[in-house]
């Protein structure tokens, strides 16, 4: 076949995978989507990416960019037509340079997030993006989906962490936009247009990322709270009292913690007695530029005042790094525990803090009314208003029954998100999963503008078709 | 004339100004650009803005959105064809609401920045954007130009301070995008496309802005440093030692300070003796969430260590709010002092911190070689890499001679900015002033993408023609 020969000539025979060699790339991490690609192509440089895209553009072949294949919305999985080329960036994993005086680093899209964090640390700097898949997700995927995670409260999403991009356009041209500047008002913000566009407008091949000073000390605690209202009140107190040292504010339901210790018996619940019966926990983290003692003192002052005021009922403050890691490990084990205990219906939503309690209480009740016995698995980054509002089968359900009602559950939850001015995708993107739901919730003028941008930047429609729009 | 009648019917006779009534809107603040509009139209609501734009779209009439008319690049001044309608947002100055639990506020585009800061403060919150024109510039203009100012180091540009927008498109449709969410990954980032597009893609009519806790204490100091290298070293120390409490890091040359006290004799130089002879000062500000005593203690620890290490030669720490205000007043008086002392050639550039010294030293020398006796008036937000690298006539020049060489000066400075990977517009935008320079420095692929976006979002080319592109 002519295209495959061209691609082999451009990137080398060993970097064009077909059939069984391509299988691992054709299915997403959650095994919800199975595609059938023409081939997987693994270019080794920006120039090769441009050649691959040009060859695909000429033949009208769909291009599906793929990083670590850890996405949760099927955004990196092709359809089953056998026509698409998966463009894997995994060979482009060079840290091109670190500029400590400018607090920036230039990395290729295929760099694993953990590798970037590590390279920054070795240069005495922090690259703050942190999320469960960091051992296998790539910077390119993080950019394409505007990834979030646990440090957004302080450092922002991936969007806020990128200063410049290198992008191969849908025509196979290279935009050299690798600027390392905190301020640049010279025209339209193309950077933020490509970030979060899930590979539908072009291929991000490299980026200049922001670095930060390494904190001198961290302090972590688990707080037991009686209600979402109290958790939101505590968020306001933490923001006011801890300022920008507040780097983590995670909400975890009692059910989530129980699920983790049921699946991983070596882990321990943070509270016992009456506190263990409270419905919610908050995982609070402070990163201090001063000292361990100062971090702890501030922390205790703010948490102490909250306990006195009644919005926090109990607190466990980590006394060592090991204890801090154990608390975070509880939080980070929730997705694995969910996966082990069977398929669930996941919602990645964001809600204004002022309407969070109304949303959770109302939606829980509405779900129980419509789907009696269903289980709520609710956790998330409350500091950013981002909940992973997941739903699992109860004792009276089997997996098939749950998945048969999936679309009804989505509709109920997303309608309620929309009613409180929330978003149906806080940090995972749209991909295939939420593509059909998007027009129901998106302002029609906005949707029309998006379609025009897609049409003008990718007139042949080859970039990741069937995703987002 | 038919269009004017339509506009009068839409917004009321008193809100369509012509001839002498329109004159104040037709000239920019610096009096560099004089336009001749068909009329100034002042709609009072989003719906009226949409009607005005629709009427203009039908007749192919250029629309020039205008806020406080304080821009520095002529972006809000029409050409002299007498065809354009200036669309003034100044009647839309309602604070629509403040949500303290969500730390957001919704404001109309015509709100004066100071009014927004004040409304936030009354609700116990900080809206951090702060710049010299804050008493007259509007939120709409701040958004259209992605305004910067003195707090960007900590809180970001206007882009980072806006969560949602309401926009009237070039077709006169209304995009209702007033989301108050910190995370929302549901498609292309239209918000950031309109922000910074200087009215060339549509008209921003309202926004949801981020609020922050009010700092408990502020601490300000002026530092005397011997070189740009030392100032950059100090920036690194301040970032590491003060973390996110560092809210201001301004560079000021000795010449700037002298200019201020020459123009405003009631102001005092911060240093005397040998320190007064050092070529640079840094204005450092810390905002603390804890206490006055803590702010001062941290501050003194970091500045003390820098003095010991030799990168700071002398320091004046403000002992009272009045002293702090006096130090800031020195900094903020520079633009007025410049204006009083005659026309100057202004450059609003950004440079990676790692190349700042190379840029300043090299450009100063090259300017002296090409234009002997020219004066450098250099100050800016070093914390963001943003310099206002201005040039004034020396004793041996008159104003006419200086302005006659303006284009040569621009070219020399901007070529050097480009050579160190900087930006020719850090925070003021492109407007008319830098429109012709843009293609010289912008990546051609990027420029082509910008043109395609302009063509698809404003196919009739009515939105602020002759600006940016």
């Amino acid at each position: 076949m002519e295209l495959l020969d061209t691609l082999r000539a451009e990137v080398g025979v060993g970097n064009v995978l077909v059939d069984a060699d391509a299988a691992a790339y054709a299915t997403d991490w959650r095994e919800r989507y199975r595609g059938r690609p023409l081939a997987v192509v693994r270019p080794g440089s920006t120039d090769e990416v441009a050649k691959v895209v040009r060859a695909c553009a000429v033949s009208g072949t769909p291009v599906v960019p793929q990083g670590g294949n850890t996405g949760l919305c099927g955004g990196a999985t092709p359809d089953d037509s056998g026509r698409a080329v998966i463009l894997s960036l995994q060979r482009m994993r060079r840290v091109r340079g670190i500029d400590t005086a400018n607090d920036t680093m230039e990395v290729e899209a295929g760099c694993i997030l953990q590798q970037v964090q590590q390279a920054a640390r070795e240069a005495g700097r922090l690259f703050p993006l942190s999320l469960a898949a960091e051992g296998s997700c790539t910077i390119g995927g993080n950019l394409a989906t505007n990834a979030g995670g646990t440090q957004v409260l302080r450092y922002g999403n991936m969007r806020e962490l990128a200063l410049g991009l290198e992008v191969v356009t849908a025509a196979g041209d290279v935009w050299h936009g690798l600027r390392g500047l905190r301020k640049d008002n010279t025209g339209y913000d193309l950077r933020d247009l490509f970030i979060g566009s899930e590979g539908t407008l072009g291929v991000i091949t490299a980026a200049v990322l922001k670095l930060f000073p390494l904190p001198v000390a961290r302090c972590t605690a688990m707080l037991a709270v009686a209600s979402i209202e109290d958790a939101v009140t505590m968020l306001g107190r933490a923001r006011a009292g801890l300022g920008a040292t507040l780097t983590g504010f995670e909400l975890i339901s009692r059910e989530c913690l129980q699920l983790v210790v049921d699946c991983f018996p070596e882990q321990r619940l943070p509270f016992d007695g009456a506190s263990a019966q409270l419905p919610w926990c908050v995982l609070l983290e402070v990163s201090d530029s001063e000292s361990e003692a100062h971090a702890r003192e501030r922390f205790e002052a703010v948490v102490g005042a909250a306990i006195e005021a009644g919005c926090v009922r109990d607190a466990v403050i980590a006394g060592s790094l090991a204890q801090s890691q154990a608390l975070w490990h509880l939080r980070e084990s929730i997705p694995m525990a969910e996966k082990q205990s069977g398929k669930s219906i996941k919602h990645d939503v964001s809600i204004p803090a002022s309407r969070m309690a109304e949303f959770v209480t109302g939606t829980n009740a509405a779900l129980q009314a419509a789907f009696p016995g269903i289980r709520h698995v609710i956790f998330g980054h409350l500091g950013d208003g981002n909940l992973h509002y997941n739903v699992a089968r109860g004792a009276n359900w089997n997996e098939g029954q749950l998945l048969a009602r999936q679309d009804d559950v989505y509709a109920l939850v997303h309608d309620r998100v929309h009613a409180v001015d929330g978003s149906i995708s806080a940090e995972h993107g749209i991909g295939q999963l939420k593509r059909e739901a998007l027009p129901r919730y998106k302002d029609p003028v906005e949707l029309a503008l998006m379609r025009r941008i897609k049409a003008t930047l990718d007139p042949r429609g080859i970039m990741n078709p069937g995703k987002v729009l």
Side-chain angles (χ1 to χ4, degrees), chain A:
Chain A
M1 179 169 173
E2 211 177 311
L3 176 65
L4 288 185
D5 290 340
T6 307
L7 295 175
R8 287 187 183 108
E10 300 294 12
V11 303
V13 174
N15 291 310
V16 178
L17 313 179
V18 294
D19 303 329
D21 294 338
Y25 299 80
T27 300
D28 72 310
W29 176 78
R30 288 178 67 206
E31 301 182 357
R32 283 293 183 92
Y33 300 96
R34 290 171 196 281
R36 200 168 57 87
L38 174 68
V40 175
V41 183
R42 307 191 313 161
S45 67
T46 303
D47 188 45
E48 286 186 6
V49 173
K51 287 175 176 164
V52 169
V53 174
R54 274 200 295 272
C56 291
V58 167
S59 58
T61 302
V63 177
V64 180
Q66 190 177 95
N69 198 17
T70 61
L72 295 169
C73 298
T77 311
D79 65 16
D80 60 2
S81 67
R83 289 185 58 237
V85 162
I86 294 177
L87 197 162
S88 167
L89 279 299
Q90 67 183 192
R91 285 180 60 222
M92 289 187 64
R93 55 171 65 189
R94 208 156 52 88
V95 174
R96 291 185 185 165
I98 300 186
D99 181 344
T100 51
N102 197 42
D103 276 333
T104 50
M105 72 192 290
E106 184 178 325
V107 302
E108 292 182 344
C111 287
I112 303 290
L113 173 53
Q114 208 163 57
Q115 169 199 358
V116 171
Q117 295 166 339
Q118 181 62 26
R121 205 176 301 118
E122 284 165 10
R125 295 293 185 279
L126 174 73
F127 179 67
L129 190 78
S130 176
L131 43 88
E134 62 196 28
S136 44
C137 66
T138 64
I139 290 296
N142 298 149
L143 287 161
T145 58
N146 185 28
T150 58
Q151 303 281 300
V152 174
L153 176 60
R154 162 68 182 93
Y155 298 101
N157 283 313
M158 194 62 191
R159 187 181 299 293
E160 280 85 44
L161 299 174
L163 292 172
L165 295 185
E166 180 185 83
V167 173
V168 172
T169 70
D173 295 323
V174 182
W175 167 38
H176 299 282
L178 288 169
R179 295 185 278 261
L181 302 170
R182 264 103 187 145
K183 281 184 172 175
D184 177 30
N185 280 351
T186 55
Y188 305 153
D189 183 9
L190 299 180
R191 177 189 70 202
D192 287 314
L193 193 56
F194 285 106
I195 294 175
S197 68
E198 305 187 34
T200 64
L201 300 177
V203 186
I204 296 169
T205 51
V208 176
L209 306 178
K210 276 190 206 168
L211 299 177
F212 294 83
L214 281 167
V216 170
R218 281 218 171 93
C219 196
T220 314
M222 194 73 88
L223 315 178
V225 297
S227 66
I228 298 272
E229 286 90 338
D230 283 350
V232 170
T233 302
M234 182 59 206
L235 174 62
R237 285 176 162 268
R239 281 171 57 96
L242 300 167
T245 65
L246 178 65
T247 48
F249 198 97
E250 300 285 308
L251 182 77
I252 311 172
S253 73
R254 187 182 56 197
E255 289 87 352
C256 287
L257 290 177
Q258 193 59 53
L259 186 69
V260 169
V261 296
D262 287 349
C263 286
F264 308 111
E266 72 281 9
Q267 296 200 44
R268 292 265 184 85
L269 289 175
F271 296 104
D272 46 29
S275 304
Q277 300 310 310
L278 290 169
W280 301 100
C281 284
V282 167
L283 181 60
L284 189 70
E285 185 195 70
V286 157
S287 300
D288 198 281
S289 57
E290 200 171 328
S291 68
E292 196 78 48
H294 179 257
R296 206 171 162 97
E297 179 207 315
R298 283 311 296 156
F299 206 81
E300 288 175 356
V302 170
V303 173
I307 290 178
E308 257 180 57
C311 71
V312 168
R313 299 298 179 88
D314 201 353
V316 175
I317 301 189
S320 66
L321 187 61
Q323 284 176 24
S324 166
Q325 286 170 340
L327 292 179
W328 273 107
H329 192 48
L330 269 172
R331 161 65 183 84
E332 285 158 358
S333 299
I334 300 170
M336 282 308 293
E338 274 193 288
K339 200 179 183 191
Q340 281 208 15
S341 60
K343 298 249 194 268
S344 62
I345 303 175
K346 296 186 194 298
H347 306 88
D348 162 46
V349 302
S350 68
I351 312 283
S354 46
R355 308 196 70 178
M356 188 64 78
E358 168 193 355
F359 168 76
V360 174
T361 311
T363 311
N364 282 359
L367 277 173
Q368 284 305 327
F371 313 99
I374 211 164
R375 282 192 306 118
H376 312 287
V377 183
I378 304 173
F379 62 102
H381 318 295
L382 188 67
D384 322 308
N386 179 188
L387 288 190
H388 299 304
Y389 185 97
N390 299 344
V391 168
R393 65 191 175 89
N396 54 333
W397 293 65
N398 67 38
E399 201 166 82
Q401 287 170 325
L402 180 77
L403 295 184
R405 304 301 302 274
Q406 177 166 278
D407 289 344
D408 302 324
V409 171
Y410 282 146
L412 187 154
V413 173
H414 288 160
D415 280 358
R416 287 193 161 255
V417 166
H418 189 63
V420 294
D421 298 326
S423 166
I424 65 161
S425 183
E427 59 176 13
H428 295 169
I430 297 297
Q432 305 180 45
L433 180 65
K434 297 180 180 173
R435 180 189 175 214
E436 283 175 27
L438 196 61
R440 183 176 172 92
Y441 304 111
K442 204 76 173 169
D443 181 90
V445 172
E446 184 173 5
L447 207 56
L449 292 172
M450 282 172 55
R451 291 203 174 104
R452 280 156 73 173
I453 286 167
K454 169 72 176 175
T456 195
L457 297 191
D458 178 23
R460 292 182 192 86
I462 63 164
M463 291 308 310
N464 212 4
K467 316 294 161 57
V468 184
L469 287 172

